[in-house]
Amino acid sequence: MLKKALVVLAVAAAAVVVAVPAMAQEKVYTNGFDAAYPPFSFVDKDGKPAGFDIDALDWIAKEMGFKVKHQPTDWAAIVPTLQAKKIDVIASGMSITPARQAAVNFTEPYWTVQQLLVVKEDSKLTDKQCLEPGRKIALLRGSAESKWMKENLQDKGYKFELKAYDTTPLAIEDVFNGRADCAAVSNTALKNAQGKGLKVKTIGNYGQPDTNYGYAVRKDDEKFLATLNAGWKKLKASPKFQELVTKWELK
């Protein structure tokens, strides 16, 4: 009887030994995010990742049974960083564009934003005047706005200057400080800037269509893409989605 008990204990111990390495090797997906794009993603005053997309992906990860960590990543190089497998997903207010779709796969869209021209609150500039020769338009380096304005305006004869910044808030701040005439940003970025006391306003759209946001993964990560889409479907059907929309003042 004692011998039988010892055998059972030995088998159980072996199972624990096997299980520990398996748990240690559990997959953790790394989200590369823009550290200065509130309210979708940013680093808060305590140095922690925050924003709508951070909360949404954390909820999806818990619901779908995987782990995620968030890593601030240079936006201008974020797609190559994903392709190089240094991160596994981009959940950070990323516009779904044809050029990006050729390089990565996107989830179903989860939010739509307007692309606007922003000026100082007391500016008399019109949308057409912002596009005149010599005008300086501030925007995020590597952004969908930057690519669209170059291909659809500059390459077709408009002579304004594009000033690229590492973050969207810096682009808006330089308009407020008079170092740029206008900024090309989303309506959510404008609202966030105004909420922080910057006296800026929109003078309308510059021609770029409304933009859909989605999460990006590598082309060969079809299983993970399906998991994210299923997670988003659950989130949108949950009261949590409206809770996050309200929390981050997206409406």
Side-chain angles (χ1 to χ4, degrees), residues 195-220:
K196 292 184 176 180
L198 286 183
K199 295 187 180 300
V200 291
K201 65 180 181 181
T202 180
I203 51 173
N205 185 278
Y206 51 87
Q208 185 176 358
D210 290 352
T211 300
N212 289 323
Y213 285 169
Y215 290 177
V217 300
R218 287 183 289 276
K219 285 288 187 180
D220 58 356

Side-chain angles (χ1 to χ4, degrees), residues 50-107:
F52 177 84
D53 282 320
I54 303 300
D55 285 351
L57 186 56
D58 282 344
W59 189 94
I60 290 170
K62 184 177 180 180
E63 187 72 17
M64 301 305 294
F66 64 88
K67 293 185 179 298
V68 63
K69 67 177 182 178
H70 304 282
Q71 177 177 302
T73 305
D74 176 23
W75 192 254
I78 202 161
V79 170
T81 302
L82 175 65
Q83 293 172 321
K85 299 187 177 182
K86 295 179 181 179
I87 58 175
D88 303 296
V89 58
I90 303 169
S92 184
M94 174 169 267
S95 302
I96 301 173
T97 67
R100 287 173 176 163
Q101 286 177 309
V104 299
N105 280 341
F106 282 97
T107 59

Side-chain angles (χ1 to χ4, degrees), residues 67-215:
K67 293 185 179 298
V68 63
K69 67 177 182 178
H70 304 282
Q71 177 177 302
T73 305
D74 176 23
W75 192 254
I78 202 161
V79 170
T81 302
L82 175 65
Q83 293 172 321
K85 299 187 177 182
K86 295 179 181 179
I87 58 175
D88 303 296
V89 58
I90 303 169
S92 184
M94 174 169 267
S95 302
I96 301 173
T97 67
R100 287 173 176 163
Q101 286 177 309
V104 299
N105 280 341
F106 282 97
T107 59
E108 293 297 319
Y110 65 90
W111 200 258
T112 301
V113 297
Q114 296 174 302
Q115 305 298 338
L116 304 172
L117 283 173
V118 169
V119 297
K120 289 181 67 173
E121 197 173 73
D122 60 358
S123 174
K124 303 300 182 183
L125 286 175
T126 66
D127 52 352
K128 292 182 179 179
Q129 289 173 330
C130 265
L131 306 180
E132 290 176 343
R135 297 292 184 193
K136 295 178 181 179
I137 299 180
L139 36 62
L140 175 64
R141 181 177 287 104
S143 64
E145 297 95 312
S146 177
K147 182 177 177 61
W148 193 94
M149 294 192 87
K150 182 181 184 307
E151 293 180 349
N152 294 276
L153 295 175
Q154 283 188 325
D155 290 353
K156 295 183 179 180
Y158 287 84
K159 302 299 182 182
F160 57 81
E161 176 188 344
L162 289 178
K163 291 189 67 178
Y165 294 78
D166 290 335
T167 72
T168 299
L170 284 176
I172 299 175
E173 285 173 18
D174 259 17
V175 170
F176 176 72
N177 293 326
R179 289 188 284 267
D181 298 296
C182 318
V185 300
S186 69
N187 59 307
T188 52
L190 169 60
K191 182 178 179 180
N192 185 265
Q194 291 172 328
K196 292 184 176 180
L198 286 183
K199 295 187 180 300
V200 291
K201 65 180 181 181
T202 180
I203 51 173
N205 185 278
Y206 51 87
Q208 185 176 358
D210 290 352
T211 300
N212 289 323
Y213 285 169
Y215 290 177

